[in-house]
Amino acid sequence: MVGGSPFGPCAGPDPPSLSECPEFRMLPRVQLHVLILLVFSVVAVVALQRMRMPSSLGYLLVGALVGPHAFGLVPDVEHNRVLAEFGIVFLLFTIGLNFSLPQILAMRNLVFGLGTAQVGFTTIVVGVGAWLLGHAPETGFVIGAVVAHSSTTIISKQLIEQGEDQSRHGRLGVAMSVFQDITAVPFVVVIPVLGMASGSVAAPLGLALLKAGAAFVLVFLAGRWMLRPLFHEVAGRRSAELFTLTVLLVNLVAAAITQSLGLSMALGAFLAGMMLGETEFRHQIESTIRPIRDVLLGLFFVTIGMLLDVSALPEIWHLALAGAVAMLVAKAVLVFFIVHSAGVNRATAVRTGAVLAVGGEFGFALLAIALDSQVLASDVAQVVLMAVLFRMLIAPFLIRYNAAFASRLVRRPVLATNGVAHAGDAPPGQRGHVVICGYGRIGQNLARFLEVERIPFIALDMDPARVRDAHAAGMPVFYGDASERDILEAVGADHARLIVISHDDLGAARKVLQQVRASRWPVKVMVRTRDEAPLAELLELGATEVVAETVEASLMIAAHVLLMADVPTPRVLRRIRAAQANRYQHLHELYRSDEPALGEADQDPGQDRLHAVEVVAGSAALGQLLGALALGDCRLQALVRAGERMLHPSPGLKLEAGDTLVLFGTPDSLGKAEASLLARVASTEPESAPMREDTQ
């Protein structure tokens, strides 16, 4: 640059014409490079998807062919690498979204059991093997880390296509692969240190871990105190553009924080995703970020492909193929022994090993970090890159014929599947549940009936105030647009027993039906409408049932939901008659919004409603018995403690810090009750001393 200008010689007191500026002359060339990458990427991805191969292989092949080592159509320029690095950042961000801190703590036995054992032993055994072959310890460590990671995307998609996703080996394989993504985070911290350290790595590694801990604390505090209120405010604006900008801002700010500490940007993105994964906005955030992530991640794989020296393939292909076979065998054998030692039978352990032996996208990410940190030599990197590529090419066949491999090794016939698990075997809200689109008056009534029947459900709503209150009350309600396929997939609509469109937005209902039927999900869909006019159209779009409102609309829809959810008819009738006997009392107990939602423009702001109140440390209600609470005209509907929702808590139960009381009453009575419950306990010591003096 000249004079600090970003345009160098094109700036100054006597600048040349734009046509003479080298930076501007580069623009047509850059546009041509982008066009070449797009054309080749589209063709490659379409071809591989038709062959049921992962799209990432298409991007890798494009990079290898058009890069500087093959046809040279696109040079391996610096701006490509910068954009590709953001692909890793967004990948780690979405991984963090799926692993909030409470989830990791709840799964600590698996995370620190099979998952960590598999990653740790694989890294050590493969690393020692590479060291014995003459490689440096740092190189062996990186190779071991690359081998330890599998592709969750390839594994899950292939198992679903084969109908083995709910078999025992399928569940083990997917679970351990997902846990690998969590345990990959320490590698993101350690590998750059290996490249910077000269001599002993103990001090630099300890410093890096301290910085990582500081980054975790900083992002954790920001997530607790800033991110949830921020997204509530942004969601309240109801602007998709603003929501997307906020997601990008949070992601990149967290990445910048860890980069400023001398750590990887990917670490900050993972931490930010993990904090947002605890909020009710995580499904919408993941849907918003996915298109950006996929594009940048595709560019990342293209740049990795550009590192492949195709001209060197005749000289090293045998080394790469031998390395791929060694990686596959070592990983499969290690997984077999780890799983079998945990009490799993031999056939299932063999099949789990075959599933997890495949290479993964995160292995390429670790290789990119290692190359950038100069931990790997270029000749070794070429062999490892091609070996991982061969592993990914072999992966679909290895998973597809895992039963045949197991039959040969255990010397007895093994069925192609171990039987599909029942819906109750899967975690609640993931399989065999009900998805409610719209959590207004009718959606909440349906949720209440489903809760009484112990039928798992997940609700989606676009009103942040309503979602906040319901979420605080322990209800599985999330902020998200149900007409987006990514959102429906995030809440498990493809494995649900029923989808209920409970709002009366006909346009949105059409979009939901189109998404469900275009995806060919085997799920029933029921639609609520105000009248019978669109009935034929909705049935033609794929609705299983269309229920028009009547005098007892909520009761009728609830009856249909329970019947379609396989609840016995006599029990449904008893529920409906009980609600009628109570003069529909429960049908008026709703979480109200600050703004009327679709179909609720006439709601009375002074009408009775539900409201969640969290008991905090130092409040007057702390330690009191439920039966002794002064709630005025309000009524206690439920108590939420440690994530467990109790519909009929005992009056003798003492309140603890963190408990959430779900109250029902008018806005005025709710305000008075909340003020009384949360009033601070005043110290009586200063007042008691003067009283004793007066009495004396």
Side-chain angles (χ1 to χ4, degrees):
M1 292 191 298
V2 177
S5 170
F7 297 107
C10 297
D14 188 19
S17 63
L18 290 180
S19 61
E20 298 176 356
C21 291
E23 286 80 2
F24 282 92
R25 286 201 301 268
M26 285 180 59
L27 289 178
R29 189 181 305 173
V30 172
Q31 293 169 358
L32 178 61
H33 294 164
V34 173
L35 183 61
I36 292 172
L37 289 178
L38 288 176
V39 170
F40 276 82
S41 297
V42 169
V43 173
V45 170
V46 170
L48 286 174
Q49 286 184 348
R50 284 189 175 184
M51 295 186 293
R52 295 185 177 181
M53 301 288 285
S55 301
S56 54
L57 290 178
Y59 293 117
L60 289 167
L61 293 175
V62 168
L65 292 176
V66 306
H69 301 296
F71 296 116
L73 299 177
V74 178
D76 189 13
V77 293
E78 185 63 28
H79 58 74
N80 285 343
R81 294 178 178 273
V82 173
L83 289 176
E85 187 175 0
F86 284 109
I88 305 176
V89 168
F90 286 109
L91 172 64
L92 266 293
F93 180 74
T94 51
I95 290 174
L97 281 175
N98 294 307
F99 292 98
S100 63
L101 189 60
Q103 286 177 311
I104 294 177
L105 293 176
M107 298 185 297
R108 59 185 177 272
N109 292 332
L110 282 174
V111 173
F112 298 110
L114 291 178
T116 304
Q118 183 267 309
V119 174
F121 281 119
T122 303
T123 303
I124 293 172
V125 171
V126 175
V128 170
W131 175 66
L132 292 176
L133 291 175
H135 295 289
E138 296 85 359
T139 301
F141 178 80
V142 172
I143 296 174
V146 171
V147 176
H149 290 87
S150 307
S151 173
T152 304
T153 303
I154 295 177
I155 291 173
S156 59
K157 285 186 177 180
Q158 188 70 32
L159 288 173
I160 289 173
E161 287 181 5
Q162 298 173 196
E164 298 180 19
D165 56 314
Q166 288 304 304
S167 62
R168 193 176 186 190
H169 69 276
R171 292 198 303 269
L172 275 172
V174 173
M176 292 177 69
S177 177
V178 170
F179 294 149
Q180 289 171 12
D181 296 335
I182 301 177
T183 55
V185 176
F187 291 109
V188 174
V189 177
V190 173
I191 289 177
V193 175
L194 298 179
M196 294 185 299
S198 57
S200 175
V201 299
L205 183 58
L207 181 60
L209 293 176
L210 285 175
K211 289 180 179 179
F216 174 81
V217 172
L218 186 60
V219 176
F220 178 80
L221 293 177
R224 289 288 184 180
W225 301 105
M226 295 174 58
L227 291 184
R228 190 188 294 268
L230 172 64
F231 275 92
H232 273 298
E233 180 64 27
V234 170
R237 306 279 74 79
R238 299 178 183 267
S239 169
E241 176 185 6
L242 180 60
F243 195 90
T244 303
L245 287 173
T246 306
V247 172
L248 292 174
L249 175 65
V250 169
N251 192 354
L252 297 180
V253 166
I257 290 174
T258 52
Q259 187 183 40
S260 65
L261 294 173
L263 303 171
S264 170
M265 291 197 301
L267 176 62
F270 175 83
L271 295 176
M274 191 171 64
M275 292 301 103
L276 288 172
E278 298 185 37
T279 71
E280 57 271 33
F281 300 100
R282 66 184 180 93
H283 295 310
Q284 186 66 43
I285 291 172
E286 185 174 9
S287 176
T288 299
I289 206 71
R290 181 174 295 177
I292 303 172
R293 179 205 66 183
D294 290 346
V295 171
L296 293 176
L297 201 56
L299 183 59
F300 162 71
F301 286 123
V302 169
T303 58
I304 291 294
M306 288 181 178
L307 297 175
L308 289 170
D309 189 353
V310 181
S311 62
L313 186 59
E315 299 178 4
I316 65 172
W317 71 268
H318 57 289
L319 295 176
L321 186 59
V325 173
M327 291 176 181
L328 287 169
V329 173
K331 182 79 172 287
V333 171
L334 286 170
V335 171
F336 166 77
F337 281 112
I338 291 171
V339 173
H340 187 50
S341 64
V344 179
N345 64 72
R346 290 179 59 196
T348 302
V350 170
R351 301 178 74 178
T352 305
V355 167
L356 285 173
V358 304
E361 297 91 342
F362 210 89
F364 288 116
L366 294 180
L367 280 174
I369 295 173
L371 284 169
D372 188 57
S373 305
Q374 298 181 347
V375 178
L376 281 182
S378 59
D379 55 341
V380 176
Q382 289 294 325
V383 176
V384 177
L385 279 171
M386 290 187 180
V388 176
L389 182 58
F390 285 150
R391 283 179 69 198
M392 293 184 71
L393 287 170
I394 300 171
F397 304 100
L398 193 61
I399 299 175
R400 185 173 301 167
Y401 299 108
N402 67 82
F405 293 135
S407 298
R408 289 181 177 274
L409 292 175
V410 302
R411 296 182 180 180
R412 65 179 178 83
V414 176
L415 296 176
T417 62
N418 287 340
V420 177
H422 294 287
D425 296 335
Q430 297 297 320
R431 183 174 291 272
H433 58 296
V434 176
V435 176
I436 301 175
C437 304
Y439 201 63
R441 177 187 300 274
I442 292 178
Q444 292 177 40
N445 290 333
L446 300 182
R448 190 165 295 110
F449 277 97
L450 291 169
E451 183 181 29
V452 171
E453 290 294 336
R454 299 182 182 276
I455 297 175
F457 69 92
I458 294 180
L460 294 169
D461 200 90
M462 290 294 290
D463 188 309
R466 179 181 290 130
V467 171
R468 179 185 62 237
D469 237 6
H471 204 77
M475 303 298 287
V477 184
F478 295 92
Y479 178 87
D481 186 353
S483 64
E484 296 183 14
R485 176 175 175 173
D486 292 343
I487 298 295
L488 292 173
E489 287 181 340
V491 296
D494 49 338
H495 295 302
R497 72 170 76 181
L498 177 63
I499 296 176
V500 183
I501 303 175
S502 59
H503 57 67
D504 65 346
D505 185 346
L506 191 58
R510 291 192 188 100
K511 292 180 181 178
V512 174
L513 287 171
Q514 290 167 353
Q515 295 286 5
V516 171
R517 296 317 172 201
S519 304
R520 298 182 180 180
W521 294 334
V523 59
K524 296 176 285 188
V525 182
M526 189 175 69
V527 185
R528 164 234 177 168
T529 63
R530 282 196 174 275
D531 51 49
E532 298 180 357
L535 188 145
E537 177 192 4
L538 294 173
L539 290 175
E540 186 177 354
L541 286 173
T544 310
E545 186 78 39
V546 179
V547 180
E549 290 186 2
T550 60
V551 177
E552 296 180 311
S554 296
L555 289 178
M556 290 299 297
I557 294 176
H560 278 277
V561 170
L562 296 179
L563 289 172
M564 294 175 69
D566 301 326
V567 178
T569 302
R571 191 185 302 173
V572 174
L573 293 176
R574 287 199 302 271
R575 299 294 183 198
I576 300 301
R577 288 169 182 166
Q580 290 172 331
N582 292 330
R583 301 184 63 82
Y584 316 114
Q585 177 179 347
H586 294 297
L587 302 185
H588 298 287
E589 299 171 0
L590 305 170
Y591 302 100
R592 301 290 172 179
S593 169
D594 296 333
E595 300 178 9
L598 293 170
E600 297 186 354
D602 56 346
Q603 71 176 22
D604 181 6
Q607 191 175 3
D608 291 2
R609 63 190 65 191
L610 289 172
H611 181 59
V613 179
E614 181 180 357
V615 178
V616 297
S619 60
L622 193 64
Q624 289 195 28
L625 300 178
L626 286 180
L629 293 177
L631 300 178
D633 296 330
C634 296
R635 185 170 65 253
L636 178 65
Q637 293 297 100
L639 173 69
V640 181
R641 172 173 291 178
E644 180 183 356
R645 180 178 166 91
M646 294 176 275
L647 289 177
H648 305 289
S650 170
L653 196 65
K654 283 188 178 182
L655 283 177
E656 301 175 358
D659 287 349
T660 299
L661 300 170
V662 183
L663 306 178
F664 176 69
T666 64
D668 290 340
S669 62
L670 289 172
K672 293 177 182 178
E674 183 173 10
S676 174
L677 291 170
L678 301 183
R680 292 287 176 176
V681 179
S683 175
T684 58
E685 188 64 28
E687 297 178 3
S688 58
M691 289 180 63
R692 285 193 295 269
E693 290 179 1
D694 293 341
T695 55
Q696 289 174 356

